Amino acid sequence: MATKNSASKPGKFKPLLIVVGVLVGVYVLFLAVMTASDWYKIQPYKKLATELNQTLGGGYKIGYTWKCELESTNCPSARMLKDANFKDNEEAKALINGYISSMKSAGYDVKGISICEPRVGFSVYCSMSAKKGSNTITINAKQNFIGIDIQP
């Protein structure tokens, strides 16, 4: 008497397993391509942030925004932070003027100081902007830190 067993029947789930495997593979490939694209786009910002850190004397902590969503603005970008302790706006202005000289000699298009006066919540506030290529660089000196943003 012959008995039925699963070894004699062709696999019912094999085509379904192949389809699911292909779909998962396509999804993983899509994520890998998106990540590689974002990583590639952040490289000029990494290079510029490193160059700017050296131009301004070092000591900045550099962070990057590189995993961009479809509706992200100013992405990719880099943010540089350095602790400081300014007594007043004149001290911050002197540091920014030194940065302007260093940046001009390194080939940056520097627009100069745009604001250097107390703002709401900040007794020390100085700001300047510059460009290098198509990237905009904004430097803000506040009472206890200096922040630099590099954006497209």
Side-chain angles (χ1 to χ4, degrees):
M1 177 183 293
T3 62
K4 292 184 178 182
N5 63 25
S6 61
S8 64
K9 283 188 164 184
K12 292 180 181 179
F13 297 106
K14 192 172 184 180
L16 180 62
L17 186 60
I18 290 172
V19 169
V20 170
V22 167
L23 290 176
V24 168
V26 167
Y27 179 71
V28 168
L29 182 64
F30 175 75
L31 290 178
V33 167
M34 293 302 293
T35 301
S37 172
D38 287 344
W39 184 82
Y40 176 75
K41 289 176 186 174
I42 195 66
Q43 294 309 309
Y45 295 90
K46 285 184 171 190
K47 182 181 175 189
L48 184 57
T50 303
E51 175 188 312
L52 190 57
N53 191 20
Q54 292 172 350
T55 301
L56 300 180
Y60 283 92
K61 294 178 226 158
I62 304 170
Y64 305 100
T65 303
W66 65 284
K67 291 200 176 216
C68 303
E69 301 293 326
L70 290 177
E71 291 121 17
S72 297
T73 56
N74 296 328
C75 189
S77 63
R79 179 153 179 84
M80 302 168 58
L81 293 172
K82 184 177 184 178
D83 292 334
N85 190 13
F86 298 111
K87 293 184 292 191
D88 56 17
N89 281 309
E90 291 305 313
E91 188 178 358
K93 188 176 185 176
L95 178 77
I96 297 282
N97 283 328
Y99 282 6
I100 289 170
S101 309
S102 298
M103 291 173 75
K104 280 184 180 179
S105 65
Y108 291 81
D109 179 22
V110 181
K111 306 215 186 297
I113 295 176
S114 57
I115 299 169
C116 203
E117 60 187 34
R119 292 281 187 205
V120 176
F122 300 104
S123 58
V124 175
Y125 186 86
C126 284
S127 178
M128 68 157 287
S129 61
K131 285 190 88 66
K132 178 111 185 206
S134 63
N135 297 322
T136 302
I137 300 162
T138 307
I139 299 176
N140 293 307
K142 297 180 183 174
Q143 182 114 18
N144 57 356
F145 74 93
I146 302 166
I148 301 174
D149 293 306
I150 303 171
Q151 300 172 342

